[in-house]
């Protein structure tokens, strides 16, 4: 690696914001690792860490999409349906172009079309929320059913196969000892952290989530920013869908339906405020790794999957309960309609009364 490239990467990493809450989460991660290392035999093996790296990428990407939507005081419940629809579209392009037989062109075409589909689904979400003035939780609940219905009707609920080996290596390959899905997650998290924390667009998103009226007075185009944010969520969900399909060597409309709750747990645990205005991408990444360690440890200890699901619910309720008790979360705002994206009209002022100038005595 050249000195120029190394310097640019170092400058990029230095721009990633690390909040105090992230350091506390680092402490929690270390504590979980220490406890499971002592309790679960084989937890620190290379094979177990590689297995965690393959599994954490999918839910980690979904959690990043949830965190971005929560940054605007909204939520995107359609991420899994978007991911499946994007993965199905990618697989269909692969089949139609014969990408299984090799060729860079069909591979890039399939990936590009999948990302475009994810962005279009996000655009639909954004327009429903902004143009129809529907609460994000209700809007994305509706589009979740819409996108899933399109995917099921398109394929009759059947899986689609025929993906090229180069694409499958995205879900099953490694870079050295690091699984490729985890590499994808780390790259997306790094880029998203810079976008959210240091770019002008990220600043506008945070302003919109914190106070949409004030952001409008500050010149922020709230509607455009909100729509673009949900487009970004759709693109991230599409990447997650491609990682899932590359791991399973197929695309299906019903993959990953249980990921929505887990993604919300990870986003909130990672320091994302559901009321908007603040989110920590490094925190979300750490939370995903921590919960994946818990899942792996439970598996090694012989606990059932239902036990882990119970733990997810307990963690979510505990985190949101503490946030609500400390005043950092207002649960009643989550079901309200979107807050006004335009400033309130100023009250009419009475017209000024014209006053005739005084006439000097010497002018009479």
């Amino acid at each position: 690696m050249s000195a120029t490239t190394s310097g640019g990467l170092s400058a990029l990493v230095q721009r990633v914001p690390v909040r105090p809450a992230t350091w506390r989460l680092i402490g929690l991660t270390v504590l979980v690792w220490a406890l499971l290392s002592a309790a679960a035999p084989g937890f620190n093996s290379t094979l177990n860490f590689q297995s965690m790296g393959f599994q954490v990428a999918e839910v980690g990407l979904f959690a990043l999409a949830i965190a971005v939507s929560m940054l605007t005081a909204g939520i995107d419940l359609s991420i899994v349906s978007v991911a499946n629809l994007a993965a199905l579209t990618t697989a269909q392009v692969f089949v139609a172009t014969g990408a299984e037989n090799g060729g860079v062109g069909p591979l890039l075409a399939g990936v590009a079309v999948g990302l475009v589909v994810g962005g279009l689904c996000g655009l639909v979400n954004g327009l429903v929320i902004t143009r129809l003035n529907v609460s994000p939780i209700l809007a994305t609940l509706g589009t979740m059913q819409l996108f899933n219905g399109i995917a099921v009707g398109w394929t009759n609920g059947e899986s689609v196969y025929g993906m090229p080996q180069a694409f499958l290596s995205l879900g099953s390959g490694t870079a050295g000892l690091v699984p490729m899905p985890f590499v994808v997650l780390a790259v997306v998290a790094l880029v998203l952290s810079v976008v959210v924390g240091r770019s002008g667009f990220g600043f506008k998103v945070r302003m919109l989530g914190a106070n949409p009226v004030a952001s409008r007075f500050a010149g922020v185009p709230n509607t455009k920013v909100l729509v673009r944010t949900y487009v970004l969520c759709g693109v991230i969900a599409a990447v997650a869908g491609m990682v899932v399909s590359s791991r399973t060597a197929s695309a299906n409309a019903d993959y990953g339906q249980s990921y929505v709750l887990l993604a919300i747990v990870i986003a909130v645990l990672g320091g994302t405020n559901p009321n908007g205005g603040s989110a920590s991408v490094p925190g979300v990444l750490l939370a995903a790794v921590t919960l994946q360690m818990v899942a792996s440890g439970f598996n090694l200890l012989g606990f059932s999957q239902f036990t882990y699901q119970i733990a997810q619910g307990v963690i979510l309720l505990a985190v949101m309960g503490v946030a609500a008790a400390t005043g950092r979360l207002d649960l009643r705002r989550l079901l309200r309609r979107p807050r006004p994206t335009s400033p309130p009209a100023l009250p009419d002022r009475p017209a000024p009364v014209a006053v005739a100038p005084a006439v000097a005595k010497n002018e009479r």
Side-chain angles (χ1 to χ4, degrees):
M1 182 181 293
S2 65
T4 303
T5 304
S6 177
L9 181 60
S10 176
L12 181 63
V13 172
Q14 290 176 0
R15 297 185 67 185
V16 176
V18 180
R19 297 161 40 182
T22 304
W23 291 112
R24 291 193 293 270
L25 188 56
I26 291 175
L28 175 62
T29 304
V30 173
L31 177 62
V32 170
W33 168 79
L35 292 175
L36 292 175
S37 297
F43 181 79
N44 287 326
S45 65
T46 302
L47 182 61
N48 184 53
F49 279 116
Q50 283 187 328
S51 176
M52 288 191 292
F54 280 112
Q55 298 175 50
V56 74
E58 303 166 5
V59 69
L61 288 167
F62 285 130
L64 289 176
I66 286 287
V68 171
S69 63
M70 284 185 174
L71 195 57
T72 65
I75 195 170
D76 189 351
L77 300 179
S78 68
I79 50 173
V80 172
S81 296
V82 173
N84 289 334
L85 185 57
L88 283 169
T89 305
T90 300
Q92 294 284 15
V93 172
F94 287 156
V95 172
T97 58
E100 188 178 10
N101 300 324
V104 178
L107 174 64
L108 296 179
V111 172
V113 171
L115 294 177
V116 170
V117 169
L120 289 176
C121 291
L123 178 62
V124 171
N125 285 333
L127 291 177
V128 170
I129 293 170
T130 57
R131 301 301 183 186
L132 301 182
N133 196 31
V134 180
S135 171
I137 191 171
L138 298 178
T140 56
L141 183 64
T143 56
M144 175 184 70
Q145 298 296 332
L146 171 64
F147 300 147
N148 185 68
I150 293 174
V152 172
W154 185 15
T155 61
N156 292 321
E158 299 179 354
S159 299
V160 179
Y161 302 91
M163 301 179 181
Q165 186 59 42
F167 181 79
L168 296 179
S169 64
L170 179 68
S172 59
T174 59
L177 295 176
V178 182
M180 282 302 299
F182 188 80
V183 173
V184 174
L185 172 63
V187 171
V188 172
L190 179 61
V191 174
L192 187 61
S193 185
V194 175
V195 170
V196 170
R198 298 295 179 179
S199 70
F201 172 72
F203 178 72
K204 294 175 182 177
V205 173
R206 296 198 308 274
M207 284 190 64
L208 169 63
N211 192 322
V213 176
S215 66
R216 173 69 73 177
F217 275 115
V220 175
N222 287 355
T223 300
K224 292 182 180 179
V225 170
L226 190 60
V227 171
R228 291 172 183 173
T229 302
Y230 278 91
V231 170
L232 178 59
C233 293
V235 172
I236 297 173
V239 175
M242 293 181 193
V243 171
V244 173
S245 61
S246 63
R247 283 194 62 219
T248 59
S250 62
N252 190 284
D254 293 327
Y255 285 161
Q257 294 300 326
S258 63
Y259 278 153
V260 176
L261 173 62
L262 184 56
I264 295 174
V265 173
I266 291 173
V268 176
L269 181 62
T272 305
N273 184 359
N275 286 335
S278 65
S280 171
V281 174
V284 173
L285 184 59
L286 278 171
V289 172
T290 302
L291 286 187
Q292 184 59 53
M293 287 196 300
V294 173
S296 178
F298 279 15
N299 184 52
L300 292 174
L301 292 172
F303 294 163
S304 67
Q305 181 65 24
F306 299 106
T307 305
Y308 179 54
Q309 292 178 356
I310 293 173
Q312 294 175 22
V314 170
I315 292 173
L316 177 61
L317 291 175
V319 172
M320 298 187 70
V322 171
T326 57
R328 294 186 293 109
L329 174 62
D330 183 2
L331 298 177
R332 295 173 300 178
R333 293 169 57 182
L334 298 181
L335 289 174
R336 293 179 182 174
R337 291 184 177 180
R339 290 173 291 179
T341 56
S342 59
L346 296 176
D348 295 332
R349 297 180 179 179
V353 179
V355 179
V359 180
K361 292 181 180 181
N362 57 2
E363 293 181 359
R364 293 180 179 177

